[in-house]
Amino acid sequence: AIARDENRPAREVAEHLLHSGRSGSAEAVRSLRDAAADVAAVAPATAADLILHALEAIGEHDPQRPTLTAEAVGLLASAARVAEARRLGEEALRSGLDPENEAALLLGLAEACKHAGQNPASVEYADRGLALTGISDGLQARLHAIRAHALVGVDELAAADASGAEADRLGQAGGEHGAAVFGRTARSLVAQAQGRLDDAYEHARVATALAD
């Protein structure tokens, strides 16, 4: 409590909580996740370290583990720590997950590969996620968005445009407006590559308006 009142780093607060036993561990994980969420947009590497620390604090069979792992993979990808993201993600996939958590993990792996320029692997991970049944529209939208950009990278423009359109449609339906923006951006890139400059401009204009 004193450390919190003095605005000490979340990791330090969590260390004190972890020393207080099982109940403290649960509170420590909440503290670390809150801190990671606060800094994820500006410091993904720091956020990833916080989530990894939370993973160390819970047991192997803790019900929170799949969600935390998926968060860690996504943050590691954003921080360009691709090898770590893939190692952690593949390990988690072997443990057996429910469809939503598995799809979220595959999304993180697709993003990690895209950041590293490994476009074919990114498409493969996204396809695996989209093949799962019962996942939310928002998550499908994000998978289509990363797939669209990876397909642009391997010159499969028609497929990229189709995935971009699905990212836009599902993203707006499921409240994942970032995915809709990303999908529209992919469609703009496709149109530009095909010489359809009016379409390229229109997709970019809509994406910008939605982002604003």
Side-chain angles (χ1 to χ4, degrees):
I2 292 168
R4 269 209 197 97
D5 290 344
E6 293 181 353
N7 294 316
R8 301 298 300 164
R11 184 163 181 153
E12 182 180 325
V13 174
E15 289 287 357
H16 289 294
L17 290 166
L18 289 170
H19 283 303
S20 67
R22 185 179 297 275
S23 60
S25 294
E27 193 177 346
V29 170
R30 284 195 296 273
S31 176
L32 288 164
R33 289 186 76 184
D34 289 345
D38 287 344
V39 301
V42 292
T46 300
D49 285 337
L50 291 167
I51 294 296
L52 289 172
H53 198 53
L55 280 170
E56 292 170 7
I58 63 176
E60 185 178 341
H61 304 293
D62 190 290
Q64 295 183 83
R65 194 168 190 84
T67 302
L68 285 173
T69 301
E71 289 176 14
V73 167
L75 289 166
L76 288 166
S78 297
R81 289 160 60 177
V82 178
E84 285 179 78
R86 294 192 73 171
R87 184 171 61 252
L88 181 64
E90 291 290 357
E91 178 185 312
L93 287 172
R94 288 192 294 271
S95 67
L97 303 168
D98 66 80
E100 190 79 0
N101 278 314
E102 185 174 351
L105 200 50
L106 288 163
L107 171 66
L109 290 168
E111 290 174 339
C113 291
K114 184 71 186 73
H115 282 302
Q118 299 167 7
N119 290 307
S122 181
V123 173
E124 182 184 341
Y125 280 126
D127 283 344
R128 284 171 61 185
L130 289 166
L132 296 169
T133 56
I135 62 174
S136 64
D137 284 351
L139 193 46
Q140 289 182 63
R142 294 174 66 191
L143 285 161
H144 272 295
I146 197 70
R147 182 178 186 269
H149 281 267
L151 286 166
V152 170
V154 294
D155 292 324
E156 293 190 25
L157 299 182
D161 192 58
S163 248
E166 278 297 281
D168 183 27
R169 182 183 70 82
L170 291 166
Q172 297 209 52
E176 279 286 349
H177 296 105
V181 170
F182 208 36
R184 278 278 186 169
T185 306
R187 300 195 73 191
S188 181
L189 290 171
V190 169
Q192 184 179 357
Q194 294 176 333
R196 296 183 288 109
L197 300 186
D198 287 345
D199 289 342
Y201 175 80
E202 180 60 16
H203 287 312
R205 185 194 65 75
V206 173
T208 302
L210 184 56
D212 286 343

